[in-house]
Amino acid sequence: MSTKNVIELSNLTKTYQRGNASEVKAVDDVSLKVVDGEFLTILGPSGSGKTTLLNLIGGLDKPSEGTVILDGLDISKLTESELVKVRREKVGFVFQAFNLIPTFSALENVEAPLAPTKMPKNERIERSQELLWLMGLKQRADHLPAELSAGEQQRVAIARAFANKPTVLLLDEPTGNLDTKSGKKILELCHRASKEQGQTVVAVTHATYIRRYTDCLLFMRDGKLFSQIPQEEFEEAE
Amino acid sequence: MNPITYALREIRRRRYRTAVNIAGIVIAISTLITLVMAARGWETCTTVPLNSIGTDIILYYTAPLKPSGEGCYIVNHLFSYPFNQSMLNDFESVHEVERAVPILMHRLRAMVFTGIDPSETETNAVLPSSIIEGRYLKPDDRYVAIIDKEYAALMNLTLGSTVNYAADFEVVGIVDVSATNIMKSHIYVNLQAVQEVLPEQPIGLVNMALIRTNSPDTVKQAAAVLEERWPDTRTITGSDLAETASGLIQINEETAWSISIALAVITILFTAKSQLGNVAERTREIGILKAIGWSNGNVVNQIVTESLMQGAIGGILGCILGYIFASYVLFTIGGELGGALKFVSVDPVLLGVGLVIALGSGVVAGLLASVRAARLEPVKAIRTI
């Protein structure tokens, strides 16, 4: 495995204002390095700041303090239009709620991140078909999200995340809306695809069975990251 | 995904909202076309009959001038009371009057026989430009006539034929006189010849004057001055013709455009509000697109494409409906005012303008709505339920 740092977080803090000027630190002074090709999983309870951390890494949100260096680029200082380029070229997102476009077919959903790029249409379609095949959805390419099962929808979302060959794949509760069997299948696919395509993966989840697929496990609580995972996390989940 | 395909699917998904937007555009565009064409038809009805003979005012007497007296042949067979031709010089002394042209129009049963001064080639009951065969009258012509082409066809008359009306006249020209010509006659001859051949020989008498003013803006004033100085005279102007068609939409083109532009602005605001609602409903979807790499430009392009397509559909339907309404209005005005509108049809340029306004409304409404879409922060938009 290469030792090049793909993600470097330094003293990263995200603060939200909540009513009566009270402040909530969703991410509190987090520093972290993720090397190229690594599959990192962050476990933690709801409201611990996992999604916020993922959004900061992916350039969907801006930190209140600290820096995010993604593939050598300090994205905490970029403008919105520069962040669009980062999200388009370097990041692939998978959301808990699938977040597919309801009027797009499975194939079109996978193609969506490529639409604003200069890639020719036939190449875009070829790439999307290839990814759907990888996800075992070749026969479902023309189906709308509403015609797919939850597991199939999440597989489409994963295919979409891989479409632009991102440097980093960010999985936000990828199995949250799935049963254990489908969840494991999804993680297996993510793990296999990331290894085949050479992506660095950061996943945040409740699902402790993810440890089978991950290279590194961290725990998050109250906006802080810990390397020790409390035993009760596994006991509760399993 | 092609933006047009995406837009079509969104339009299909939001049928009700789309139908309401399109209906607004259809109403605005069809109203524009109908109002403007009604205004043009109106203008045609009120100006063409006079303009086609180069005059602004027709003047005639409503009371007998002594010694002609009521009951005489000439009064019974003329359209109005005769007056001395020399009075034309008096009419020309009015500041606003540029030229007064004599006409002696005589009717016998269904035949109209008009004496004209052939030297008047700018303002006259029939102008040289109407000649389709032969020649126009000359000042020294006596027993020659020019005749209307429909009359010629009906009577099987050609150049060289003879028409008899109190005397024999040789046909030297055939004219094509538009139905909009208020002075349309069967036979036109030299004024002096008419005065000589009619019973009682009304030498030096005419019964109408075509008045050309020095500016279109002074027509009303000239008519008022003429009626004031010669109280027994009556004048007919374009405005008077307009009054004959009561109950129709009496609107000028400027007002029609003003109303239409106001409607277009209301439509833009209405469509923009509706599109804002559309953007609000799709907040999450827009957030997802931004999260996966769509720029604000891509999102704006998509919203504007959708709005533009609604504008295009509304514009096409509005033009079709406007064409139907405008044709009906022109037909109705034409029915009330006679044949003046035979030659007015819906202007294709106006249909084009209607379509451009509809497309413009779509673009402006789309741009207004897309500002909101562009401002959406993806991280907040994705959390929207």
Side-chain angles (χ1 to χ4, degrees), chain B residues 55-92:
Chain B
T55 191
D56 298 311
I57 300 168
I58 296 173
L59 180 143
Y60 62 97
Y61 262 83
T62 55
L65 282 179
K66 290 172 184 174
S68 302
E70 209 170 344
C72 68
Y73 176 88
I74 200 163
V75 170
N76 288 336
H77 294 81
L78 293 176
F79 286 88
S80 55
Y81 293 100
F83 54 90
N84 288 323
Q85 196 173 339
S86 60
M87 288 183 73
L88 295 173
N89 297 329
D90 300 337
F91 299 151
E92 283 178 356

Side-chain angles (χ1 to χ4, degrees), chain A residues 16 51-52 55 59-61 80 84-85 87-88 91 93 95 97-105 108-109 111-116 121 124 144 160 164, chain B residues 1-2 5-7 9-14 282 284-298 302 374 376-380 382-384:
Chain A
Y16 291 110
T51 298
T52 305
N55 289 339
L60 278 181
D61 209 349
E80 179 53 32
V84 167
K85 199 162 180 276
R87 292 199 292 265
R88 187 182 294 169
V91 182
F93 269 103
F95 306 94
F98 320 137
N99 284 343
L100 299 176
I101 306 297
T103 50
F104 287 12
S105 67
E108 288 161 347
N109 264 291
E111 193 202 337
L114 303 173
K121 186 162 177 65
R124 294 202 312 252
L144 292 174
R160 179 178 68 185
N164 53 358
Chain B
M1 167 61 79
N2 182 322
T5 314
Y6 187 7
R9 288 192 196 164
E10 283 303 321
I11 284 172
R12 211 163 47 197
R13 184 157 71 131
R14 292 176 169 76
R282 292 163 67 188
R284 187 187 178 93
E285 187 176 315
I286 292 166
I288 297 164
L289 291 171
K290 286 187 168 188
I292 62 172
W294 282 42
S295 65
N296 281 338
N298 298 133
Q302 187 56 46
L376 287 174
E377 288 177 42
V379 72
K380 286 182 187 164
I382 287 173
R383 283 194 208 122
T384 311

Side-chain angles (χ1 to χ4, degrees), chain B residues 145-344:
Chain B
I146 53 177
I147 58 172
D148 179 61
K149 74 163 187 183
E150 285 162 16
Y151 176 63
L154 185 72
M155 304 303 290
N156 209 17
L157 297 170
T158 56
L159 295 179
S161 301
T162 301
V163 285
N164 184 276
Y165 193 98
D168 284 341
F169 293 89
E170 184 195 347
V171 176
V172 292
I174 295 175
V175 287
D176 183 7
V177 176
S178 146
T180 61
N181 185 340
I182 203 166
M183 307 294 286
K184 187 175 169 82
S185 307
H186 297 95
I187 303 166
Y188 304 87
V189 299
N190 196 307
L191 178 61
Q192 278 178 304
V194 182
Q195 289 168 338
E196 282 165 17
V197 300
L198 284 183
E200 298 183 7
Q201 295 188 317
I203 304 295
L205 291 180
V206 293
N207 68 338
M208 283 183 201
L210 302 182
I211 308 285
R212 193 167 71 230
T213 59
N214 44 27
S215 154
D217 302 329
T218 59
V219 174
K220 240 181 177 172
Q221 202 183 339
V225 172
L226 288 166
E227 287 191 2
E228 191 188 333
R229 284 202 202 164
W230 292 276
D232 290 335
T233 60
R234 287 290 174 271
T235 56
I236 299 172
T237 63
S239 310
D240 297 324
L241 289 176
E243 281 169 18
T244 62
S246 58
L248 290 171
I249 308 164
Q250 295 182 25
I251 187 171
N252 64 38
E253 193 166 338
E254 214 169 272
T255 312
W257 276 108
S258 304
I259 294 171
S260 303
I261 287 166
L263 263 174
V265 170
I266 292 168
T267 306
I268 289 171
L269 294 175
F270 174 78
T271 313
K273 190 176 180 299
S274 179
Q275 288 294 80
L276 278 172
N278 182 15
V279 167
E281 279 173 15
R282 292 163 67 188
T283 300
R284 187 187 178 93
E285 187 176 315
I286 292 166
I288 297 164
L289 291 171
K290 286 187 168 188
I292 62 172
W294 282 42
S295 65
N296 281 338
N298 298 133
V299 173
V300 168
N301 181 41
Q302 187 56 46
I303 304 284
V304 171
T305 302
E306 287 170 22
S307 192
L308 184 66
M309 287 183 74
Q310 292 182 19
I313 297 168
I316 291 167
L317 293 178
C319 284
I320 293 170
L321 212 61
Y323 181 87
I324 294 167
F325 285 160
S327 302
Y328 175 74
V329 167
L330 290 173
F331 177 77
T332 310
I333 297 176
E336 270 200 46
L337 291 177
L341 279 180
K342 263 189 196 167
F343 311 101
V344 179

Side-chain angles (χ1 to χ4, degrees), chain B residues 29 33 311-312 314-316 319 350-360:
Chain B
I29 300 306
I33 292 165
I316 291 167
C319 284
L350 185 64
L351 296 178
V353 169
L355 193 59
V356 168
I357 290 176
L359 293 173

